[in-house]
Amino acid sequence: MLSSRSSKNLLPGLARHKLVVQPYASTRHFSLAKSSGVQKERVVILGSGWAGYAFARTLDPAKYERVVISPRSYFVFTPLLASTSVGTLEFRTIIEPIRRLPGKIGFYQGWADDIDFDRKRIRIEANAAEEAASKTVVPGPFTPQSEQGDTEKAVTAQGKSVKGDLIDIPYDKLVIACGAYSQTFGIEGVREHAHFLRDIGDARRIRLRILSLFEQCSYPQGSDHLSDADKRQLLHFAIVGGGPTGIEFAAELHDLIRDDLAPLYPHLMSLVSITVYDVAPKVLPMFDQALAKYAMDTFSRQNIQVKTEHHLERLRLADGELGRRHGALKIRIREYGDEEVGAGLVVWSTGLMANPLIAELAAKQLASPGPNPPSNASSTTRHLLRDSRTGGIMTDPHLRALTSTAPTEASSEPKRSILEDVYVIGDCAVMENEPSLPKTAQVASQQATHLARRLNAGGAEAVASRAFRFRNWGTLTYLGNWKAIHQSEVDALRGWVAWVVWRGAYLTKSMSVRNKILVPIYWMISWLFGRGISRF
Amino acid sequence: MLSSRSSKNLLPGLARHKLVVQPYASTRHFSLAKSSGVQKERVVILGSGWAGYAFARTLDPAKYERVVISPRSYFVFTPLLASTSVGTLEFRTIIEPIRRLPGKIGFYQGWADDIDFDRKRIRIEANAAEEAASKTVVPGPFTPQSEQGDTEKAVTAQGKSVKGDLIDIPYDKLVIACGAYSQTFGIEGVREHAHFLRDIGDARRIRLRILSLFEQCSYPQGSDHLSDADKRQLLHFAIVGGGPTGIEFAAELHDLIRDDLAPLYPHLMSLVSITVYDVAPKVLPMFDQALAKYAMDTFSRQNIQVKTEHHLERLRLADGELGRRHGALKIRIREYGDEEVGAGLVVWSTGLMANPLIAELAAKQLASPGPNPPSNASSTTRHLLRDSRTGGIMTDPHLRALTSTAPTEASSEPKRSILEDVYVIGDCAVMENEPSLPKTAQVASQQATHLARRLNAGGAEAVASRAFRFRNWGTLTYLGNWKAIHQSEVDALRGWVAWVVWRGAYLTKSMSVRNKILVPIYWMISWLFGRGISRF
């Protein structure tokens, strides 16, 4: 029986690969075992962010068997994350499912638990049973499982966290692209009470929270449930970190409030405030003085407060009903002494720290390199080489993982060598020749594309034949009101031109056709009819 | 300063009412107090479903002050709920925010806790602090707050449920449109383990669960974490209730699996099954024999099992890791004795029961009617009149609430009378002249439109001057594969014509321009590129 949907084959350029199975039982089995005629090398990719996704997208499935392992089953187009957190865009328009990448691709949802570099196997802890594994996880002092975000964890009837199944996956080549974690500097209460903005689930929770706060403050003024002073606290939106992410979120939030919430809650508008806190003397340090001043002037006109040289020391739930029932927070700031600042939402965006997996991997002893291990092998110790400053894995200029062999009697210097078939890209990599490359999407995606193209061109030898070079496309930051600033080695743009040119360029480069269609449609819909304001 | 978005006024027909406030502090205060020149009657509407929303949409804001009270801030276009649960449509395309209704409208998010009919005041328990209050709530044996769905409730740090603020709202006229609850017949485990499909949050949870089940079963076959027998249980989708909702969900699920999941998980297809259980001898009882047979033939070709005369007796979590870690369920069916059926998802759609609020309201003693209460008022008791069969509130043919006054010495018959200024529409109403009207969207919306138009035409007198009459537009049920059946007094359509004509008609009638644009776009996008398959 022919599916009525088979007519989509009239659009071969757009139609994705489709298998019509009727009813479902198929004799064609997709197997990850090397069953096809030619035996391909299996490249396992750890991570599905800018590095992992760009690599998987670029690596030729005709030449390699691709297997992605990641705790989330999709890539998030992070430059538009702030837009989804305020409802300008729908969440799904900025994510790309790994399984929908063109060509055959394997995917296992889970956390890398351990890697046996000698036997070339990865142990993963499956997390597919967690119904929504889309929240930024910050390792806690005790265990990352016991977090506030228990709602998002698989929990037994007894309320205990479930550990996922452990599964071993072998690889021929390994690409480590597991990224970095959010940096909280160990500040009390941040892990429990602040919102991060790195995954789609974070954006969803922020959106729910903002809209809920306005709704909570909208009950009649006469009633005694919340005073104006309480509402002023709840409608204070605090952003910690004055980098592009924090600044963009503040700008998008301002647009949401001015365009969509002011008409619906006009009586609350005098109680609303937005503040950006940063420890540094200026925000947006990557921009030159003129652009940063333009940004600050724009914010000042929008009534967004920017407080530089402010040190957040603690975050806690407010006392009484205001905290318990309404989730109001109290922020302790060093410069203000004992006088805490109230807020309904704190968005935390202060930077990155090393993924704890890296430290675990670096602690493992590796077999000595070379076909003939020296006779005194047992007396030498070899480890992955970590960057002492950031905690990332050191790579050579070809993105190959480096190891260090401890001094033996024969040689008094620690010896660096390549760890065969293991590559590191993105936020968890530190290149020995360019150790200061920033942890940004463009570095990650350029490294990924470079490495995949070299492997496509001729495997390990092709990788060795050309070093990675970073090309700086500059930095874009949205300032609200359809205005942005862009800075690179060749330009310093500002206004709406910067926004259209650079956001458009990124979008065209990284997204699927589906989302290239949907994103402009949503921009148009939000512009005409307002943003999405419903909570669910 | 002019907003760059003010250019949208070039499209006056499409642009929504917009207030540009810069920065936010506004001197224009939206007040629910009767401050405008003419004093309007305040009509409070309890509920935002088909009845409440259609009423609020039709009532003229120039003549009445409209205030909607509902635990959710939007209307859900339920005929497309099953489509969103499988990702054909995006959730937000089938909801309409109450606050975006044209014209001035008041909204308070909360549960009606109590109504003082004599003093004309409603006490609401605010639930705006619950970040996602979009789940079907089923009253439990103890308290509706202590449900499995604790993740969706405001919970204190100590894990206790928070009761929302209590707020009193006065009304001049009251429209009770608070709907009905899902009927579980008190069957053990249904409330805890089954999924309902009545709100957008239900659809979201079902979507997450389906996709999670496939992901959980997709790890390599060689590993020992799940046997094929386990996977067969997890990939069994059980639907309880063979009415249009259950049948449509089964059909949409089949489409999702065939079109989108089969290409991604071909090795799982032989393990997938869908079963619809019903206690009655046939499903879709509202359709004639020929259409019902067409539906069953279509299902049979799609390999969807339909088991009539099957009585579900208990639902529980499976033993061991399969239940604890993977959430597998065991269904006990009377006809099968002790042999339980395994399932990964149970969708429950067996009908409706009275909203518990109705019983509480009917228990309240009301003041006697008329300007001069009789001298023996203290000896009479007057209550809201309930339908003994369904538990709904009885109304007269004009949708006015009826009361019953207990017999006194003077008269031996209980006396029926109208409760002034209180109207009842939708699933919670039972009309004394047509007590068997079904609890459907079309009855609710026709009652709502009728009542609002009468009030617009001339208040209480206009309501009294014309009785409500139901016009049956027939019933549509989607069968998968772009086919549907439609039955009414004048037609009996089947195939894709039925689908296009009737779904299109409903859509055009009930949705905003925004969603009239977005729904066809998503149909096109899903058809070309597949459904949304990411979980977050």
Side-chain angles (χ1 to χ4, degrees):
Chain A
M1 203 190 106
L2 220 86
S3 156
S4 64
R5 279 175 59 155
S6 61
S7 56
K8 78 170 50 165
N9 292 336
L10 297 172
L11 295 150
L14 290 170
R16 74 213 148 91
H17 174 73
K18 174 149 292 209
L19 228 173
V20 177
V21 182
Q22 192 68 301
Y24 306 122
S26 165
T27 52
R28 289 179 57 179
H29 276 231
F30 177 108
S31 166
L32 283 165
K34 289 154 187 164
S35 58
S36 50
V38 188
Q39 190 158 317
K40 293 180 202 162
E41 272 195 315
R42 174 186 287 183
V43 180
V44 170
I45 303 141
L46 281 192
S48 60
W50 279 94
Y53 184 74
F55 180 85
R57 191 182 153 125
T58 313
L59 192 69
D60 186 350
K63 295 183 175 154
Y64 295 95
E65 183 196 341
R66 301 172 299 172
V67 175
V68 175
I69 296 172
S70 171
R72 64 184 186 197
S73 62
Y74 48 81
F75 161 71
V76 179
F77 187 76
T78 46
L80 294 178
L81 205 47
S83 290
T84 66
S85 75
V86 301
T88 311
L89 290 176
E90 198 41 64
F91 301 117
R92 217 168 287 272
T93 61
I94 68 158
I95 65 184
E96 302 286 352
I98 305 299
R99 290 187 181 275
R100 286 263 170 85
L101 273 175
K104 194 165 153 179
I105 189 154
F107 174 73
Y108 299 124
Q109 189 169 358
W111 301 91
D113 194 62
D114 193 11
I115 302 174
D116 185 334
F117 293 105
D118 300 330
R119 294 176 52 236
K120 290 189 160 185
R121 298 182 76 84
I122 300 167
R123 169 154 295 183
I124 58 178
E125 184 193 335
N127 77 334
E130 294 169 28
E131 297 204 346
S134 57
K135 191 190 172 195
T136 294
V137 174
V138 180
F142 306 109
T143 151
Q145 310 287 344
S146 69
E147 258 197 293
Q148 171 216 31
D150 269 340
T151 51
E152 302 299 323
K153 287 276 172 189
V155 169
T156 64
Q158 291 76 38
K160 284 197 292 188
S161 251
V162 180
K163 192 169 164 75
D165 294 343
L166 296 174
I167 293 143
D168 277 8
I169 307 286
Y171 65 84
D172 296 312
K173 286 187 162 45
L174 176 66
V175 176
I176 301 177
C178 56
Y181 275 49
S182 287
Q183 176 64 275
T184 64
F185 303 103
I187 295 171
E188 185 185 336
V190 172
R191 210 171 55 82
E192 295 84 358
H193 302 298
H195 286 254
F196 299 88
L197 186 50
R198 299 190 63 207
D199 204 338
I200 204 77
D202 300 330
R204 176 171 175 266
R205 268 170 284 262
I206 288 174
R207 181 158 159 183
L208 290 175
R209 180 68 182 157
I210 296 167
L211 297 170
S212 169
L213 285 167
F214 277 87
E215 204 63 61
Q216 288 176 56
C217 293
S218 74
Y219 296 101
Q221 305 212 340
S223 75
D224 60 353
H225 77 117
L226 280 178
S227 68
D228 270 11
D230 291 340
K231 292 182 183 178
R232 208 179 287 279
Q233 287 192 48
L234 286 171
L235 297 178
H236 177 220
F237 300 91
I239 293 116
V240 185
T245 305
I247 294 294
E248 290 207 339
F249 174 72
E252 295 266 11
L253 176 62
H254 169 266
D255 284 1
L256 166 71
I257 293 172
R258 184 201 55 199
D259 297 337
D260 297 274
L261 302 182
L264 301 180
Y265 308 93
H267 56 297
L268 296 179
M269 287 305 116
S270 60
L271 307 171
V272 174
S273 57
I274 303 176
T275 313
V276 179
Y277 297 96
D278 202 305
V279 295
K282 73 188 268 272
V283 296
L284 297 176
M286 62 289 286
F287 287 89
D288 70 27
Q289 204 58 47
L291 287 185
K293 182 174 184 315
Y294 175 78
M296 288 309 90
D297 290 350
T298 306
F299 267 32
S300 163
R301 272 199 304 278
Q302 294 169 347
N303 222 25
I304 300 173
Q305 307 286 321
V306 178
K307 309 257 191 194
T308 51
E309 297 181 299
H310 277 63
H311 295 75
L312 197 143
E313 293 188 321
R314 187 186 64 194
L315 206 57
R316 67 173 178 94
L317 219 53
D319 298 323
E321 292 293 276
L322 196 61
R324 207 175 59 89
R325 192 177 283 179
H326 299 278
L329 300 173
K330 289 287 188 184
I331 311 172
R332 188 186 160 96
I333 292 169
R334 189 198 300 165
E335 287 69 20
Y336 297 170
D338 283 342
E339 204 175 316
E340 291 169 304
V341 177
L345 173 76
V346 174
V347 172
W348 193 266
S349 143
T350 60
L352 300 173
M353 59 176 272
N355 188 321
L357 175 69
I358 305 296
E360 285 171 36
L361 296 180
K364 295 173 73 74
Q365 181 158 344
L366 306 172
S368 292
N372 300 312
S375 55
N376 60 345
S378 62
S379 69
T380 68
T381 63
R382 185 186 183 214
H383 292 96
L384 269 182
L385 188 60
R386 288 177 79 198
D387 176 49
S388 56
R389 194 173 57 85
T390 65
I393 303 176
M394 297 291 291
T395 75
D396 73 354
H398 306 275
L399 300 164
R400 295 177 293 191
L402 288 176
T403 62
S404 165
T405 308
T408 59
E409 283 163 35
S411 73
S412 59
E413 288 264 303
K415 215 182 78 202
R416 287 191 179 188
S417 58
I418 303 297
L419 184 56
E420 288 292 332
D421 295 325
V422 177
Y423 305 92
V424 193
I425 54 178
D427 289 354
C428 60
V430 179
M431 301 184 73
E432 63 174 350
N433 54 325
E434 286 197 77
S436 315
L437 279 181
K439 296 195 192 309
T440 60
Q442 54 177 302
V443 170
S445 68
Q446 287 183 34
Q447 288 177 335
T449 317
H450 170 85
L451 182 64
R453 286 196 185 134
R454 296 318 298 158
L455 286 172
N456 290 343
E461 285 109 72
V463 172
S465 71
R466 194 182 301 168
F468 169 72
R469 287 206 42 209
F470 175 58
R471 290 183 51 225
N472 191 351
W473 302 329
T475 306
L476 178 79
T477 298
Y478 179 66
L479 300 176
N481 226 352
W482 301 70
K483 292 199 185 91
I485 48 178
H486 183 266
Q487 171 122 50
S488 74
E489 286 151 14
V490 294
D491 75 47
L493 287 174
R494 63 197 208 185
W496 63 270
V497 177
W499 188 81
V500 169
V501 171
W502 287 96
R503 195 110 302 172
Y506 255 104
L507 194 66
T508 310
K509 202 174 143 52
S510 311
M511 302 279 265
S512 62
V513 181
R514 174 199 194 99
N515 284 337
K516 275 180 200 152
I517 296 172
L518 280 175
V519 167
I521 286 172
Y522 267 98
W523 273 332
M524 180 65 72
I525 294 271
S526 294
W527 181 70
L528 286 175
F529 305 110
R531 295 172 174 81
I533 54 158
S534 298
R535 291 175 290 134
F536 59 85
Chain B
M1 205 193 104
L2 220 84
S3 156
S4 65
R5 279 176 57 154
S6 59
S7 57
K8 78 170 53 169
N9 293 336
L10 297 173
L11 294 150
L14 290 170
R16 73 214 148 90
H17 174 74
K18 173 148 294 206
L19 228 173
V20 177
V21 183
Q22 191 68 298
Y24 305 123
S26 162
T27 52
R28 289 179 56 179
H29 275 230
F30 176 108
S31 167
L32 284 166
K34 290 155 187 166
S35 57
S36 49
V38 188
Q39 190 158 317
K40 293 180 204 162
E41 274 195 313
R42 174 186 288 183
V43 180
V44 170
I45 303 141
L46 281 193
S48 61
W50 280 94
Y53 184 74
F55 180 86
R57 190 182 155 125
T58 313
L59 192 70
D60 186 350
K63 296 183 173 155
Y64 295 95
E65 184 195 343
R66 301 172 299 172
V67 176
V68 176
I69 296 173
S70 172
R72 64 184 185 197
S73 62
Y74 47 82
F75 160 71
V76 179
F77 187 77
T78 47
L80 294 178
L81 204 47
S83 289
T84 65
S85 75
V86 300
T88 310
L89 290 175
E90 198 42 63
F91 302 116
R92 217 167 287 272
T93 60
I94 67 158
I95 65 184
E96 302 286 350
I98 305 298
R99 289 187 182 275
R100 286 262 169 85
L101 274 174
K104 193 164 152 177
I105 188 154
F107 174 73
Y108 298 123
Q109 189 169 355
W111 301 91
D113 195 60
D114 193 13
I115 303 174
D116 184 335
F117 292 106
D118 299 330
R119 293 176 54 235
K120 290 191 160 186
R121 298 182 76 84
I122 299 168
R123 169 154 296 183
I124 58 177
E125 183 192 335
N127 77 335
E130 294 170 28
E131 297 204 345
S134 58
K135 191 191 171 192
T136 294
V137 173
V138 180
F142 307 108
T143 153
Q145 310 286 344
S146 70
E147 257 198 292
Q148 172 217 30
D150 269 341
T151 51
E152 302 300 324
K153 289 275 171 189
V155 168
T156 63
Q158 291 77 38
K160 283 197 291 189
S161 250
V162 180
K163 194 169 164 73
D165 294 343
L166 296 175
I167 293 144
D168 277 7
I169 307 285
Y171 65 85
D172 295 311
K173 285 187 162 44
L174 175 66
V175 177
I176 301 178
C178 56
Y181 274 49
S182 287
Q183 176 63 276
T184 65
F185 304 102
I187 295 172
E188 184 185 336
V190 171
R191 209 171 56 82
E192 296 83 358
H193 302 300
H195 286 254
F196 300 87
L197 186 49
R198 300 189 62 207
D199 204 339
I200 204 76
D202 299 330
R204 177 172 175 266
R205 268 171 284 260
I206 289 174
R207 181 159 160 182
L208 290 176
R209 180 66 182 160
I210 297 167
L211 298 170
S212 169
L213 284 167
F214 278 86
E215 203 63 61
Q216 289 176 56
C217 293
S218 75
Y219 296 101
Q221 306 211 340
S223 75
D224 61 352
H225 77 117
L226 281 178
S227 68
D228 270 10
D230 292 340
K231 291 181 183 178
R232 208 179 289 278
Q233 288 191 48
L234 287 171
L235 297 178
H236 177 221
F237 299 91
I239 294 115
V240 185
T245 306
I247 295 292
E248 289 208 340
F249 174 72
E252 295 265 12
L253 177 61
H254 169 266
D255 285 2
L256 166 71
I257 294 172
R258 184 202 54 199
D259 297 337
D260 297 274
L261 302 182
L264 301 180
Y265 308 92
H267 56 296
L268 297 178
M269 287 304 116
S270 61
L271 307 172
V272 173
S273 58
I274 303 176
T275 312
V276 178
Y277 296 96
D278 202 305
V279 294
K282 72 188 267 272
V283 296
L284 298 175
M286 60 290 287
F287 287 90
D288 70 27
Q289 204 57 49
L291 287 184
K293 182 173 183 317
Y294 176 77
M296 288 308 91
D297 290 349
T298 305
F299 267 32
S300 163
R301 272 200 303 278
Q302 294 170 348
N303 222 25
I304 300 173
Q305 307 285 321
V306 178
K307 309 257 190 194
T308 51
E309 297 182 297
H310 278 62
H311 295 75
L312 198 143
E313 295 188 320
R314 189 186 65 196
L315 207 56
R316 67 173 179 92
L317 219 52
D319 300 322
E321 292 294 277
L322 196 62
R324 207 175 59 89
R325 192 177 282 180
H326 298 279
L329 300 172
K330 288 287 186 183
I331 311 172
R332 189 186 159 96
I333 291 169
R334 190 200 299 165
E335 286 70 19
Y336 297 169
D338 283 344
E339 204 174 317
E340 291 170 305
V341 177
L345 172 75
V346 174
V347 172
W348 194 265
S349 144
T350 58
L352 300 173
M353 58 177 272
N355 189 322
L357 175 69
I358 305 296
E360 285 171 37
L361 295 181
K364 297 173 71 76
Q365 182 158 342
L366 306 171
S368 291
N372 300 312
S375 56
N376 60 346
S378 61
S379 69
T380 68
T381 62
R382 185 187 183 214
H383 291 96
L384 268 183
L385 188 62
R386 286 177 81 199
D387 176 50
S388 56
R389 195 174 57 87
T390 64
I393 303 176
M394 297 291 291
T395 75
D396 74 353
H398 306 275
L399 300 164
R400 296 178 292 191
L402 288 177
T403 62
S404 166
T405 307
T408 59
E409 282 163 38
S411 75
S412 61
E413 288 263 302
K415 215 183 76 198
R416 286 191 181 188
S417 60
I418 302 297
L419 184 57
E420 288 292 331
D421 295 326
V422 177
Y423 305 91
V424 192
I425 54 178
D427 290 352
C428 61
V430 179
M431 301 184 74
E432 62 175 351
N433 54 327
E434 287 197 77
S436 314
L437 279 182
K439 296 194 192 310
T440 60
Q442 52 177 305
V443 170
S445 67
Q446 287 184 33
Q447 288 177 335
T449 317
H450 170 86
L451 183 65
R453 287 198 184 131
R454 296 319 298 159
L455 287 172
N456 290 344
E461 287 110 72
V463 172
S465 71
R466 193 181 302 167
F468 169 73
R469 284 207 42 209
F470 175 58
R471 289 183 50 226
N472 190 351
W473 302 330
T475 307
L476 179 79
T477 299
Y478 180 65
L479 300 176
N481 226 355
W482 301 69
K483 293 199 185 90
I485 49 178
H486 183 266
Q487 172 122 48
S488 74
E489 287 150 15
V490 294
D491 75 46
L493 286 176
R494 63 198 209 186
W496 63 269
V497 177
W499 188 80
V500 169
V501 171
W502 287 95
R503 196 110 302 170
Y506 255 104
L507 193 67
T508 310
K509 201 174 145 53
S510 312
M511 303 279 266
S512 62
V513 180
R514 176 201 192 97
N515 285 337
K516 275 181 199 151
I517 296 171
L518 279 175
V519 167
I521 286 173
Y522 267 98
W523 273 332
M524 181 64 75
I525 293 272
S526 293
W527 182 71
L528 286 175
F529 305 110
R531 295 172 174 80
I533 53 158
S534 298
R535 291 174 290 134
F536 58 85

